[in-house]
Short mmCIF file of all heavy atoms in Angstrom, two decimals:
data_model
loop_
_atom_site.label_atom_id
_atom_site.label_comp_id
_atom_site.label_asym_id
_atom_site.label_seq_id
_atom_site.Cartn_x
_atom_site.Cartn_y
_atom_site.Cartn_z
N ILE A 46 -27.18 -3.21 27.00
CA ILE A 46 -27.16 -3.39 25.51
C ILE A 46 -28.44 -2.76 24.99
O ILE A 46 -29.50 -2.84 25.61
CB ILE A 46 -27.12 -4.88 25.21
CG1 ILE A 46 -26.94 -5.11 23.68
CG2 ILE A 46 -28.28 -5.63 25.79
CD1 ILE A 46 -26.53 -6.53 23.30
N ARG A 47 -28.30 -2.13 23.79
CA ARG A 47 -29.43 -1.49 23.11
C ARG A 47 -29.37 -1.75 21.59
O ARG A 47 -28.23 -1.59 21.05
CB ARG A 47 -29.44 0.01 23.29
CG ARG A 47 -29.48 0.60 24.59
CD ARG A 47 -29.31 2.15 24.63
NE ARG A 47 -30.44 2.66 23.86
CZ ARG A 47 -30.41 3.97 23.41
NH1 ARG A 47 -29.39 4.77 23.62
NH2 ARG A 47 -31.43 4.43 22.78
N LEU A 48 -30.42 -2.09 21.01
CA LEU A 48 -30.62 -2.06 19.53
C LEU A 48 -31.24 -0.79 19.22
O LEU A 48 -32.36 -0.51 19.63
CB LEU A 48 -31.30 -3.28 19.06
CG LEU A 48 -31.67 -3.37 17.57
CD1 LEU A 48 -30.46 -3.64 16.76
CD2 LEU A 48 -32.70 -4.46 17.27
N LEU A 49 -30.65 0.00 18.32
CA LEU A 49 -31.27 1.26 17.92
C LEU A 49 -30.84 1.73 16.58
O LEU A 49 -29.86 1.33 16.06
CB LEU A 49 -30.97 2.35 18.95
CG LEU A 49 -29.45 2.86 18.95
CD1 LEU A 49 -29.53 4.29 19.46
CD2 LEU A 49 -28.65 2.09 19.89
N GLN A 50 -31.72 2.59 16.06
CA GLN A 50 -31.36 3.34 14.81
C GLN A 50 -30.77 4.64 15.21
O GLN A 50 -31.50 5.53 15.77
CB GLN A 50 -32.57 3.55 13.93
CG GLN A 50 -32.46 4.22 12.64
CD GLN A 50 -31.67 3.33 11.65
OE1 GLN A 50 -32.07 2.20 11.38
NE2 GLN A 50 -30.69 3.89 10.95
N ALA A 51 -29.46 4.87 15.08
CA ALA A 51 -28.86 6.10 15.56
C ALA A 51 -29.22 7.23 14.63
O ALA A 51 -29.22 7.12 13.43
CB ALA A 51 -27.32 5.94 15.57
N ASP A 52 -29.54 8.37 15.27
CA ASP A 52 -29.91 9.51 14.52
C ASP A 52 -28.67 10.46 14.31
O ASP A 52 -27.65 10.23 14.89
CB ASP A 52 -31.04 10.36 15.13
CG ASP A 52 -30.78 10.92 16.56
OD1 ASP A 52 -29.58 11.12 16.86
OD2 ASP A 52 -31.78 11.07 17.25
N ARG A 53 -28.84 11.43 13.41
CA ARG A 53 -27.71 12.26 13.01
C ARG A 53 -27.14 13.04 14.23
O ARG A 53 -25.96 13.26 14.36
CB ARG A 53 -28.03 13.19 11.91
CG ARG A 53 -26.90 14.00 11.48
CD ARG A 53 -27.07 14.71 10.13
NE ARG A 53 -25.82 15.43 9.83
CZ ARG A 53 -24.90 14.89 9.10
NH1 ARG A 53 -25.00 13.71 8.58
NH2 ARG A 53 -23.75 15.56 8.87
N GLU A 54 -28.05 13.44 15.14
CA GLU A 54 -27.63 14.22 16.30
C GLU A 54 -26.70 13.38 17.22
O GLU A 54 -25.64 13.92 17.59
CB GLU A 54 -28.85 14.67 17.09
CG GLU A 54 -28.49 15.49 18.31
CD GLU A 54 -29.73 15.87 19.12
OE1 GLU A 54 -30.91 15.68 18.65
OE2 GLU A 54 -29.56 16.46 20.22
N LEU A 55 -27.03 12.17 17.45
CA LEU A 55 -26.18 11.24 18.23
C LEU A 55 -24.89 10.98 17.57
O LEU A 55 -23.81 11.10 18.24
CB LEU A 55 -26.91 9.96 18.56
CG LEU A 55 -26.13 8.83 19.21
CD1 LEU A 55 -25.65 9.29 20.58
CD2 LEU A 55 -27.00 7.61 19.37
N LEU A 56 -24.95 10.74 16.31
CA LEU A 56 -23.70 10.43 15.55
C LEU A 56 -22.81 11.60 15.44
O LEU A 56 -21.52 11.53 15.54
CB LEU A 56 -24.06 9.77 14.18
CG LEU A 56 -24.70 8.46 14.26
CD1 LEU A 56 -25.29 8.04 12.94
CD2 LEU A 56 -23.76 7.43 14.82
N ALA A 57 -23.39 12.79 15.24
CA ALA A 57 -22.58 14.06 15.22
C ALA A 57 -21.80 14.26 16.54
O ALA A 57 -20.62 14.63 16.52
CB ALA A 57 -23.48 15.24 14.86
N ALA A 58 -22.55 14.03 17.56
CA ALA A 58 -21.83 14.20 18.88
C ALA A 58 -20.82 13.10 19.07
O ALA A 58 -19.70 13.36 19.56
CB ALA A 58 -22.90 14.10 20.00
N HIS A 59 -21.14 11.89 18.68
CA HIS A 59 -20.14 10.76 18.83
C HIS A 59 -18.87 11.05 18.06
O HIS A 59 -17.79 10.76 18.52
CB HIS A 59 -20.80 9.45 18.42
CG HIS A 59 -19.95 8.27 18.50
ND1 HIS A 59 -19.71 7.57 19.70
CD2 HIS A 59 -19.11 7.64 17.60
CE1 HIS A 59 -18.89 6.61 19.47
NE2 HIS A 59 -18.52 6.60 18.27
N TYR A 60 -19.03 11.47 16.78
CA TYR A 60 -17.86 11.63 15.90
C TYR A 60 -17.40 13.12 15.78
O TYR A 60 -16.71 13.47 14.84
CB TYR A 60 -18.19 11.10 14.52
CG TYR A 60 -18.38 9.60 14.49
CD1 TYR A 60 -19.59 8.99 14.18
CD2 TYR A 60 -17.25 8.77 14.69
CE1 TYR A 60 -19.72 7.62 14.15
CE2 TYR A 60 -17.41 7.43 14.70
CZ TYR A 60 -18.60 6.82 14.40
OH TYR A 60 -18.74 5.47 14.34
N GLU A 61 -17.70 13.90 16.80
CA GLU A 61 -17.39 15.32 16.67
C GLU A 61 -15.98 15.63 16.38
O GLU A 61 -15.70 16.61 15.71
CB GLU A 61 -17.89 16.11 17.96
CG GLU A 61 -17.12 15.73 19.23
CD GLU A 61 -17.68 16.41 20.53
OE1 GLU A 61 -18.69 17.05 20.36
OE2 GLU A 61 -17.10 16.19 21.52
N GLU A 62 -15.05 14.86 16.92
CA GLU A 62 -13.55 15.12 16.65
C GLU A 62 -13.22 14.94 15.23
O GLU A 62 -12.12 15.40 14.76
CB GLU A 62 -12.66 14.24 17.58
CG GLU A 62 -12.68 12.82 17.23
CD GLU A 62 -13.70 11.97 17.90
OE1 GLU A 62 -14.69 12.49 18.41
OE2 GLU A 62 -13.54 10.72 17.89
N HIS A 63 -14.03 14.30 14.41
CA HIS A 63 -13.77 14.08 12.99
C HIS A 63 -14.44 14.95 12.06
O HIS A 63 -14.26 14.92 10.89
CB HIS A 63 -14.11 12.60 12.61
CG HIS A 63 -13.37 11.57 13.46
ND1 HIS A 63 -11.97 11.52 13.49
CD2 HIS A 63 -13.79 10.57 14.19
CE1 HIS A 63 -11.64 10.52 14.21
NE2 HIS A 63 -12.69 9.95 14.67
N GLU A 64 -15.32 15.89 12.62
CA GLU A 64 -16.08 16.82 11.77
C GLU A 64 -15.07 17.64 10.86
O GLU A 64 -14.04 18.04 11.33
CB GLU A 64 -16.92 17.74 12.58
CG GLU A 64 -17.92 18.51 11.76
CD GLU A 64 -18.90 19.31 12.56
OE1 GLU A 64 -18.85 19.27 13.80
OE2 GLU A 64 -19.73 19.94 12.00
N GLY A 65 -15.42 17.73 9.58
CA GLY A 65 -14.65 18.42 8.65
C GLY A 65 -13.60 17.54 7.94
O GLY A 65 -13.01 18.01 6.87
N LYS A 66 -13.39 16.35 8.36
CA LYS A 66 -12.49 15.41 7.68
C LYS A 66 -13.21 14.77 6.52
O LYS A 66 -14.46 14.63 6.61
CB LYS A 66 -11.91 14.35 8.72
CG LYS A 66 -11.02 15.01 9.79
CD LYS A 66 -10.60 13.96 10.79
CE LYS A 66 -9.81 14.60 11.93
NZ LYS A 66 -9.45 13.71 12.99
N PRO A 67 -12.46 14.33 5.51
CA PRO A 67 -13.11 13.82 4.32
C PRO A 67 -13.96 12.56 4.58
O PRO A 67 -14.96 12.35 3.89
CB PRO A 67 -11.98 13.38 3.39
CG PRO A 67 -10.73 14.08 3.98
CD PRO A 67 -10.99 14.40 5.37
N PHE A 68 -13.66 11.74 5.61
CA PHE A 68 -14.45 10.56 5.81
C PHE A 68 -15.63 10.81 6.73
O PHE A 68 -16.42 9.84 6.98
CB PHE A 68 -13.55 9.46 6.46
CG PHE A 68 -12.93 9.84 7.70
CD1 PHE A 68 -13.60 9.58 8.95
CD2 PHE A 68 -11.68 10.40 7.79
CE1 PHE A 68 -13.05 9.96 10.19
CE2 PHE A 68 -11.06 10.67 9.03
CZ PHE A 68 -11.72 10.51 10.18
N TYR A 69 -15.78 12.01 7.31
CA TYR A 69 -16.87 12.27 8.27
C TYR A 69 -18.26 12.04 7.74
O TYR A 69 -19.02 11.18 8.33
CB TYR A 69 -16.73 13.68 8.83
CG TYR A 69 -17.85 14.08 9.76
CD1 TYR A 69 -17.78 13.74 11.07
CD2 TYR A 69 -18.94 14.86 9.35
CE1 TYR A 69 -18.80 14.08 11.98
CE2 TYR A 69 -19.94 15.23 10.25
CZ TYR A 69 -19.90 14.85 11.55
OH TYR A 69 -20.85 15.14 12.47
N GLU A 70 -18.62 12.65 6.63
CA GLU A 70 -20.00 12.48 6.05
C GLU A 70 -20.28 11.03 5.72
O GLU A 70 -21.30 10.52 6.03
CB GLU A 70 -20.24 13.43 4.96
CG GLU A 70 -20.60 14.84 5.40
CD GLU A 70 -21.86 14.92 6.27
OE1 GLU A 70 -22.75 14.20 6.11
OE2 GLU A 70 -21.81 15.79 7.20
N PRO A 71 -19.39 10.38 4.94
CA PRO A 71 -19.63 8.99 4.62
C PRO A 71 -19.77 8.11 5.85
O PRO A 71 -20.63 7.20 5.84
CB PRO A 71 -18.43 8.53 3.78
CG PRO A 71 -17.84 9.81 3.23
CD PRO A 71 -18.16 10.87 4.24
N LEU A 72 -19.05 8.35 6.91
CA LEU A 72 -19.08 7.56 8.19
C LEU A 72 -20.47 7.83 8.84
O LEU A 72 -21.14 6.82 9.19
CB LEU A 72 -17.91 7.99 9.07
CG LEU A 72 -17.98 7.28 10.45
CD1 LEU A 72 -17.95 5.76 10.29
CD2 LEU A 72 -16.75 7.78 11.31
N VAL A 73 -20.91 9.05 8.92
CA VAL A 73 -22.17 9.35 9.59
C VAL A 73 -23.32 8.74 8.74
O VAL A 73 -24.25 8.13 9.32
CB VAL A 73 -22.39 10.89 9.81
CG1 VAL A 73 -23.79 11.16 10.24
CG2 VAL A 73 -21.41 11.39 10.82
N GLU A 74 -23.21 8.83 7.46
CA GLU A 74 -24.30 8.25 6.55
C GLU A 74 -24.31 6.73 6.67
O GLU A 74 -25.40 6.17 6.82
CB GLU A 74 -24.05 8.68 5.09
CG GLU A 74 -24.34 10.11 4.86
CD GLU A 74 -23.94 10.55 3.43
OE1 GLU A 74 -23.74 9.61 2.53
OE2 GLU A 74 -23.87 11.73 3.19
N PHE A 75 -23.16 6.10 6.74
CA PHE A 75 -23.09 4.69 6.94
C PHE A 75 -23.67 4.27 8.26
O PHE A 75 -24.49 3.32 8.40
CB PHE A 75 -21.65 4.18 6.82
CG PHE A 75 -21.50 2.74 7.36
CD1 PHE A 75 -22.11 1.71 6.71
CD2 PHE A 75 -20.73 2.55 8.48
CE1 PHE A 75 -21.96 0.39 7.24
CE2 PHE A 75 -20.57 1.26 8.94
CZ PHE A 75 -21.18 0.17 8.35
N MET A 76 -23.38 5.00 9.34
CA MET A 76 -23.87 4.64 10.66
C MET A 76 -25.33 4.81 10.84
O MET A 76 -25.99 4.25 11.64
CB MET A 76 -23.08 5.40 11.68
CG MET A 76 -21.66 4.96 11.89
SD MET A 76 -21.45 3.28 12.47
CE MET A 76 -21.98 3.45 14.18
#
Side-chain angles (χ1 to χ4, degrees):
I46 187 169
R47 304 176 58 197
L48 173 70
L49 71 150
Q50 181 74 45
D52 61 26
R53 184 167 184 91
E54 182 181 352
L55 173 59
L56 295 168
H59 180 84
Y60 291 115
E61 67 185 2
E62 71 271 17
H63 300 304
E64 192 171 2
K66 295 178 183 171
F68 61 85
Y69 176 80
E70 280 301 324
L72 177 58
V73 170
E74 287 174 17
F75 165 64
M76 290 296 289

